[in-house]
Amino acid sequence: MARRLLALLLIFVGVLGVINTTPALAAGEYSYTYSEYLHQPAPVVPAFALPGGSFELYVKEGVSVSSIEAVSVLHGPYQLEIQGSSPGEDGMTVLTVKTPEDIAPDTYFLLIETNEGTLVLPDGLKVFNEWPKELKLAWTSDTHVTTGAKVGYVCGDYFQSNIYKLEEMCSDPIPLHSVVATYSAYLYWAMKGATLMINTGDEVDTSGDMVGYKILFDIVKDTSAADMPVVGIKGNHDDPPTVYTQLIGPKYFYVTVGNFIIIGLDTGGDQGYVTMDQLEWMEKVLDEHKGYTPIVLYHHPYFFDPGWNYLGGILEGLDPDSDWDQIKGHLRRSWSSQEEISKRFLEDIVKYNVPVTMSGHIHHDMYWLYIDKNGNEHYFLTLTSTGAPDKETNPATHPGYSPTWYGSNLVVVREDGSVEMPYVTVEIEDGKVQSDFMSVPVPQRFLAFRYVSEDGTAVKFINRLDETVSGPIVLPIPAGAKVDPQATNITYKVLGEKQIADQYYIMLNITVPQGVSQLVISTGADTEKPALQIAYLQPNKPKPNANFMVYFTAQDNLGIRDLYAVIYDENGNPVKYGKVDKFPGEPSSGKPGDTFYLVQLPGLEEGNYKVEIIAEDFYGNKATTTKEITISATKKTTTTGQSEGEKSTCGPAALVGLAIAPAIMRRRK
């Protein structure tokens, strides 16, 4: 019966997957799918302009644009002038769009009226008061946003993918999902005032995860609304890029920011290198932009030689022509397998004097400095993962391995081509890098857990940095929601509120102190405690000294601030594991509004215990639920001859139970 039910569920899901869920727009509705209208700008490839200046809009074939409006939370709306049009490639039309002389410097949504409907494009246009002489590039990579259950655990500088290892070293481990990690890093650098955010690929963990891309889209939307535009490229996890190019951005592109030109390349899925067509395209772009300072982004690192030095090093005075055999020994295998392409790429770096390239993929910091025969410096920088828990740990899993963490960074590039990482000191000995950590421990030491609901928006901050963090934040809110000073314990100032298309936003300047704090914006005080219900144990009958998990549902109308389990022995004493006596609950997925959670618990000796789940919301309302368990090595035999301990609610029955749990809890509430 269970197999038949599971088969029916799979068929139902399959049918949903092929149904077209994007109907034509009705009057007053908006589209957020840029690719139906434009090639560029895109949600991670904005346009850049000055007041009274112009930028280009690449419009898809069959789409005609009647008007363009720029609006931000603090400024506008401004009507933009379409000055002219010209034919582009693949049947596109290139529109030249002029900004008003009085437009305020900010990052804008573009509301584009077309014959197919109204496109709402966040991160569409960044307006500078004057062109910057340096770019402060906040940098994330391998954010791996997922709706799955991938969670890592952090405590200070420690990182473990296995919570049991971390609990031996840490009294309060924090489950860190890729969604929280990505949002936290984007928020931090927006508050720090970076010029723009760079993401060097694997933005989402699974290329077909439509919900994952929508989560990333929302993070980009709210980050750019706080006046930090985002520029991103795809990685191998974004390949094939069907959903990526539909919702996020093109496979490769270029944008100019004053005298800087940023080029994003595509190293594909498993191939791990750029194609010759892309190189020829890049050369054409650079030939057309002589005198610009180039910055090149791609996902798979060019230099990568673990046998010589895993962390990178300095290569000086080597020429791609005369010293190629020596150079190619330091390349990543995918690049070195394509000798013509890899040699030409390095020749282009030298010819066009590219000061820095930025990549990701290996989930580790890596620093290479190539100094050509003319003495020009070319940095090949690689960043650790910002959001993926499946990587080397800290402390490292294997002796001799280089540990890592969740990280991000700031790279400053100046018009003269000089490059600096102001937060990092790189130690080099005999031409080899010695520094294990060359990135900033954000999100690992700065976390923002955001909850958005019909009743309001709440954010819990955990700041373990040696600083307070101040700056702007933009949050989506329901109409009529206001900051509740009684439930907020950070310093804040409301800068503005506005409805843009079909969503209300609020912009604040906040100061996040060290420790744990919160910001609550609600339509009214929350007086109801959270709803909790334990679903099942896995395994159903835990064995002595064997780790087990408790699956449960938890929900609150505004959001749950604290969620954890406590184990009591038969005498009512809390059970500790290492330094931990409060075991953190973690989300079973990254889907917004998901109410399914689990808590990983340590093995217990034989005896009787009580597991208590505790949930507390942002107003201090607390709920608990308990389950009595018996740990015994003895198996009782049923009348069918099967051991009772062999049965479990894991499988189709559990899936169905979890699927209907929210409906049961809503009815109960």
Side-chain angles (χ1 to χ4, degrees):
M1 180 65 183
R3 287 184 179 179
R4 187 177 305 166
L5 178 57
L6 179 60
L8 289 172
L9 285 172
L10 291 174
I11 292 171
F12 179 65
V13 170
V15 170
L16 287 179
V18 299
I19 293 176
N20 182 5
T21 58
T22 309
L25 293 179
E29 290 186 337
Y30 302 95
S31 172
Y32 291 83
T33 307
Y34 89 99
S35 61
E36 297 176 0
Y37 305 86
L38 304 177
H39 174 71
Q40 209 172 310
V44 296
V45 188
F48 298 89
L50 298 179
S54 63
F55 63 95
E56 292 181 330
L57 208 70
Y58 294 81
V59 183
K60 292 287 185 72
E61 185 177 12
V63 176
S64 61
V65 175
S66 56
S67 67
I68 305 171
E69 186 177 87
V71 61
S72 72
V73 178
L74 298 184
H75 301 105
Y78 298 95
Q79 292 297 323
L80 307 186
E81 178 187 348
I82 301 175
Q83 289 186 310
S85 64
S86 59
E89 297 178 357
D90 301 323
M92 287 188 292
T93 300
V94 182
L95 300 182
T96 301
V97 182
K98 183 178 183 295
T99 62
E101 298 284 350
D102 63 346
I103 191 170
D106 205 343
T107 304
Y108 288 90
F109 289 77
L110 293 180
L111 275 62
I112 304 172
E113 289 284 351
T114 79
N115 59 320
E116 300 290 338
T118 303
L119 169 66
V120 181
L121 182 63
D123 197 28
L125 172 66
K126 166 64 180 177
V127 177
F128 291 96
N129 186 46
E130 60 183 13
W131 290 123
K133 302 299 182 183
E134 65 178 21
L135 296 183
K136 296 178 180 178
L137 305 176
W139 184 14
T140 56
S141 190
D142 296 80
T143 45
H144 286 271
V145 170
T146 178
T147 52
K150 283 188 177 181
V151 174
Y153 304 88
V154 298
C155 184
D157 290 340
Y158 292 133
F159 158 76
Q160 293 288 325
S161 55
N162 184 332
I163 193 171
Y164 301 111
K165 293 181 180 179
L166 190 58
E167 285 172 338
E168 295 171 356
M169 301 176 286
C170 175
S171 61
D172 54 349
I174 303 169
L176 184 54
H177 194 279
S178 62
V179 174
V180 174
T182 303
Y183 177 70
S184 301
Y186 277 50
L187 173 62
Y188 174 83
W189 291 110
M191 294 176 68
K192 296 291 285 186
T195 311
L196 56 90
M197 167 64 73
I198 298 291
N199 189 322
T200 47
D202 281 1
E203 300 196 33
V204 167
D205 193 55
T206 305
S207 64
D209 188 352
M210 176 69 79
V211 176
Y213 280 108
K214 288 181 178 178
I215 294 170
L216 178 67
F217 178 94
D218 285 339
I219 294 173
V220 170
K221 170 174 62 67
D222 298 340
T223 302
S224 60
D227 198 20
M228 185 179 70
V230 179
V231 175
I233 61 170
K234 62 171 285 293
N236 58 295
H237 278 252
D238 301 302
D239 202 86
T242 307
V243 182
Y244 183 92
T245 53
Q246 181 182 351
L247 292 182
I248 303 300
K251 291 191 293 184
Y252 57 94
F253 60 88
Y254 80 90
V255 292
T256 59
V257 186
N259 289 326
F260 297 91
I261 181 168
I262 301 174
I263 297 176
L265 300 176
D266 176 19
T267 51
D270 294 332
Q271 73 184 44
Y273 57 87
V274 301
T275 62
M276 186 61 75
D277 287 345
Q278 279 190 72
L279 279 186
E280 292 172 349
W281 168 83
M282 182 180 76
E283 291 163 357
K284 181 176 181 292
V285 168
L286 290 172
D287 283 333
E288 293 171 350
H289 294 82
K290 287 185 170 64
Y292 285 70
T293 302
I295 300 164
V296 180
L297 316 175
Y298 51 95
H299 184 62
H300 297 81
Y302 182 76
F303 286 113
F304 180 53
D305 186 3
W308 180 71
N309 192 40
Y310 187 74
L311 304 173
I314 297 178
L315 302 177
E316 185 171 4
L318 299 178
D319 183 74
D321 288 325
S322 58
D323 303 307
W324 178 247
D325 286 343
Q326 185 176 349
I327 292 172
K328 75 176 183 180
H330 294 296
L331 303 188
R332 189 175 187 273
R333 187 178 302 173
S334 60
W335 281 91
S336 63
S337 67
Q338 303 293 318
E339 190 162 336
E340 182 182 2
I341 288 175
S342 58
K343 184 171 182 290
R344 185 160 168 176
F345 180 76
L346 187 58
E347 289 171 342
D348 285 343
I349 297 297
V350 173
K351 175 182 176 181
Y352 298 103
N353 200 18
V354 178
V356 61
T357 78
M358 301 162 70
S359 61
H361 185 66
I362 63 171
H363 294 195
H364 204 290
D365 300 315
M366 192 170 62
Y367 173 103
W368 288 83
L369 174 58
Y370 171 68
I371 305 174
D372 65 32
K373 64 180 181 180
N374 298 317
N376 296 315
E377 295 182 340
H378 311 276
Y379 290 85
F380 290 77
L381 305 178
T382 301
L383 184 69
T384 186
S385 170
T386 304
D390 48 347
K391 56 184 179 180
E392 188 52 67
T393 58
N394 179 31
T397 304
H398 304 285
Y401 274 43
S402 179
T404 190
W405 55 15
Y406 289 86
S408 54
N409 213 332
L410 186 76
V411 179
V412 179
V413 184
R414 300 181 179 88
E415 279 187 327
D416 63 3
S418 59
V419 178
E420 180 189 3
M421 288 189 289
Y423 290 84
V424 176
T425 299
V426 180
E427 301 172 7
I428 297 177
E429 184 178 321
D430 298 328
K432 297 181 179 181
V433 173
Q434 306 298 313
S435 312
D436 271 318
F437 302 120
M438 289 172 282
S439 57
V440 179
V442 172
Q444 187 148 323
R445 282 180 169 265
F446 181 86
L447 308 173
F449 298 81
R450 183 176 73 165
Y451 303 87
V452 179
S453 73
E454 295 179 354
D455 294 317
T457 299
V459 187
K460 174 185 176 181
F461 300 96
I462 301 177
N463 179 10
R464 290 176 170 174
L465 297 168
D466 297 327
E467 61 171 334
T468 59
V469 182
S470 298
I473 182 174
V474 169
L475 295 167
I477 59 172
K482 300 295 179 184
V483 177
D484 187 340
Q486 302 303 314
T488 296
N489 58 1
I490 65 171
T491 303
Y492 69 90
K493 179 181 180 181
V494 176
L495 302 178
E497 300 178 41
K498 187 174 289 182
Q499 180 175 351
I500 300 175
D502 51 2
Q503 177 65 61
Y504 284 88
Y505 298 91
I506 186 170
M507 186 174 190
L508 310 96
N509 196 83
I510 64 173
T511 297
V512 180
Q514 293 173 296
V516 181
S517 57
Q518 66 183 46
L519 167 66
V520 176
I521 306 167
S522 64
T523 55
D526 180 5
T527 59
E528 296 184 30
K529 64 181 182 181
L532 281 174
Q533 182 174 322
I534 293 176
Y536 65 97
L537 274 61
Q538 177 61 34
N540 191 39
K541 300 290 184 181
K543 297 179 180 179
N545 302 310
N547 300 333
F548 65 102
M549 292 185 288
V550 177
Y551 288 83
F552 60 97
T553 58
Q555 62 183 25
D556 185 79
N557 58 312
L558 187 61
I560 296 174
R561 185 189 64 197
D562 296 308
L563 188 62
Y564 57 92
V566 177
I567 306 172
Y568 296 95
D569 63 20
E570 56 190 12
N571 297 317
N573 300 313
V575 176
K576 296 188 81 171
Y577 178 76
K579 299 180 179 181
V580 176
D581 56 8
K582 293 182 178 180
F583 303 91
E586 63 186 70
S588 63
S589 84
K591 295 177 182 178
D594 200 349
T595 60
F596 304 145
Y597 294 86
L598 63 93
V599 59
Q600 300 187 46
L601 297 177
L604 303 171
E605 297 178 355
E606 290 191 60
N608 298 314
Y609 298 89
K610 179 176 72 174
V611 175
E612 184 177 52
I613 308 291
I614 299 98
E616 186 171 348
D617 67 20
F618 283 85
Y619 280 83
N621 304 305
K622 184 181 290 188
T624 63
T625 185
T626 61
K627 186 173 183 63
E628 306 284 343
I629 61 172
T630 298
I631 307 295
S632 174
T634 305
K635 295 182 179 180
K636 298 179 181 179
T637 304
T638 66
T639 55
T640 61
Q642 184 180 30
S643 296
E644 186 177 341
E646 293 174 1
K647 291 188 177 182
S648 171
T649 51
C650 181
L655 292 174
V656 174
L658 284 173
I660 65 174
I664 295 173
M665 295 185 72
R666 282 195 298 270
R667 182 178 178 184
R668 173 188 172 193
K669 191 171 182 180

